[in-house]
Amino acid sequence: MTDTVASSQPSAATDAATAVDFWFDPSCPWAWMTSRWMDEVAAHRDLDVTFHVMSLGLLNEGRDGFDPANLAKLIRYTRIVTAAAELHGQQIVKPLYDALGTRIHVQAMKDEQDAVIAGALEEVGLPADFAAHADSDEFDAQMRASHEDGIGRVGQDVGTPVIAVNGTAFFGPVISPAPKGEIALTLWDGVVAAASYPGFFELKRSRTVGPQFD
């Protein structure tokens, strides 16, 4: 499984594998659960998965009802992931996402940003001073390019996650909790089937449960 963040082109899978591009914001609980489902599917199906950052902070900047200060906080996580990819290689993206997301969502440390970042960096072997990238705009161009690549495939009226299957992109699936075992594969097969028809655009119902983490 391959992990990258800043490509402007869809990933190319091998002949046997299904190409999957996955755009995530580390702070989004729905993206987190979809990514756990993606891990479950990848353990049983031949997938070529590429992870990319997108940002709820960028998506909602300038919109009414959103506090700019809160949006700026969200961008700190995507800056960290983008900087890690640029400076330490694409292979660090998924482990860093896992480390951040475990603290934010599973351990419920969402209001402890500095502690989340420090612990995640230590877990993946990056130095403590790498945390300065959370407040640096050095790689904002790459972060925005990755975000626009993902959101440009599905439109501005959605959020995170965005997945593309063999180049056909969707918002979601939005799931809670993340399915496991055979039901996870059944859901995946449905997504692949939907992606195979170019005229399929939307299938939605109102959420009746909130995020349920393991």
Side-chain angles (χ1 to χ4, degrees):
M1 187 163 67
T2 310
D3 304 318
T4 64
V5 291
S7 172
S8 61
Q9 299 296 326
S11 300
T14 64
D15 290 342
T18 299
V20 182
D21 290 276
F22 190 109
W23 282 265
F24 67 95
D25 182 318
S27 68
C28 179
W30 302 105
W32 175 254
M33 282 183 293
T34 304
S35 71
R36 300 311 92 183
W37 164 68
M38 197 77 263
D39 285 348
E40 178 77 2
V41 174
H44 301 282
R45 296 288 170 83
D46 190 5
L47 307 181
D48 180 13
V49 185
T50 305
F51 281 84
H52 313 260
V53 292
M54 62 179 295
S55 172
L56 293 174
L58 295 180
L59 181 66
N60 294 303
E61 63 182 352
R63 293 184 178 181
D64 292 338
F66 291 92
D67 182 355
N70 288 336
L71 296 181
K73 289 180 180 179
L74 295 178
I75 289 173
R76 298 183 79 218
Y77 289 137
T78 49
R79 279 177 165 169
I80 281 285
V81 177
T82 303
E86 292 296 319
L87 297 175
H88 293 277
Q90 307 299 342
Q91 70 276 6
I92 203 168
V93 173
K94 183 59 162 53
L96 182 55
Y97 177 32
D98 291 345
L100 289 167
T102 296
R103 288 163 174 80
I104 296 166
H105 306 298
V106 181
Q107 298 176 10
M109 296 174 62
K110 63 180 180 179
D111 296 324
E112 305 171 55
Q113 267 203 334
D114 290 341
V116 167
I117 291 170
L121 292 178
E122 182 179 7
E123 181 176 325
V124 300
L126 292 177
D129 60 4
F130 198 84
H133 287 288
D135 300 302
S136 168
D137 62 2
E138 181 178 1
F139 299 108
D140 277 10
Q142 292 91 327
M143 178 181 68
R144 286 181 177 274
S146 180
H147 172 84
E148 293 298 335
D149 183 24
I151 206 68
R153 298 167 188 245
V154 292
Q156 296 291 327
D157 57 343
V158 298
T160 174
V162 169
I163 67 168
V165 180
N166 289 327
T168 299
F170 303 104
F171 162 58
V174 175
I175 49 180
S176 180
K180 295 181 173 62
E182 191 62 32
I183 191 63
L185 301 180
T186 299
L187 176 60
W188 173 250
D189 291 341
V191 170
V192 173
S196 70
Y197 177 57
F200 178 81
F201 297 103
E202 185 172 354
L203 181 68
K204 185 175 181 178
R205 65 175 178 166
S206 297
R207 293 195 298 264
T208 58
V209 298
Q212 299 178 25
F213 306 115
D214 290 339

